[in-house]
Amino acid sequence: MTRREPGTDPKQAALAAARCLNPHPEAVRDAAFLASEFFDARDVVQVKYEMVRRVKAEDTPVTEAAAAFGFSRPSYYEAAARLEASGLEGLVPARPGPRGGHKLTDEICAWALARLAADPQLRPGALAEPIEETFGVRAHPRSIERGLARYRQRHSKSR
């Protein structure tokens, strides 16, 4: 199969946009992926699916399948569990990074809201320095505004 230059292949661009681009396609040593144009080692969902299928349908040992597809044994078990729980969608890698605000705990938000209630002239963004001094947490003023909005929304629903 002829490969284009990186960045010019529309399939590679589509895989990257869908977070399905295998970061290590060269690690896939499975014979089917090496011999067929149908199988594409760049597609991490296809690679993981075939790895799980090979173990389940063809009784290939987990260690052997994981090595042939460029993954570790724990990665195989994670892929198998995700496939079982969510289907193919479960094999798409999750977005990297934290999920939502993680620095501004409920304790910090409650403290900040009490400070804002005590002084109506005070703006949420002005609490960045006092929060750092009191709790040792550095947060951007806009992050404080968003965090307080999320906190208010969460706590208004519970009443």
Side-chain angles (χ1 to χ4, degrees):
M1 179 168 151
T2 307
R3 299 276 188 218
R4 299 177 190 199
E5 289 298 313
T8 62
D9 186 357
K11 182 174 181 182
Q12 186 168 339
L15 288 169
R19 297 186 328 272
C20 294
L21 186 63
N22 188 352
H24 302 288
E26 70 283 354
V28 179
R29 298 184 319 262
D30 181 69
F33 278 83
L34 298 175
S36 171
E37 284 190 33
F38 174 78
F39 293 108
D40 189 349
R42 298 173 300 168
D43 186 344
V44 74
V45 173
Q46 187 181 43
V47 172
K48 287 180 177 181
Y49 175 81
E50 281 299 312
M51 175 177 64
V52 172
R53 189 197 66 75
R54 191 71 49 88
V55 170
K56 300 228 184 234
E58 298 178 16
D59 294 324
T60 302
V62 171
T63 305
E64 183 181 314
F69 288 94
F71 289 98
S72 63
R73 282 180 48 249
S75 294
Y76 163 81
Y77 289 113
E78 181 182 349
R82 287 181 179 221
L83 183 62
E84 181 73 27
S86 305
L88 286 176
E89 189 175 306
L91 297 180
V92 176
R95 291 188 184 278
R99 312 293 184 258
H102 58 282
K103 290 182 177 181
L104 300 177
T105 63
D106 283 353
E107 177 189 9
I108 294 173
C109 288
W111 178 87
L113 286 177
R115 294 284 302 264
L116 292 172
D119 182 0
Q121 299 297 318
L122 191 60
R123 311 300 304 143
L127 293 173
E129 222 172 280
I131 287 173
E132 186 173 1
E133 290 169 2
T134 306
F135 297 97
V137 173
R138 176 179 261 164
H140 189 274
R142 181 67 183 119
S143 297
I144 294 169
E145 292 172 6
R146 288 193 311 263
L148 290 176
R150 280 192 303 269
Y151 179 80
R152 285 182 183 122
Q153 186 176 28
R154 257 193 341 262
H155 285 47
S156 68
K157 289 180 181 178
S158 63
R159 290 183 180 155

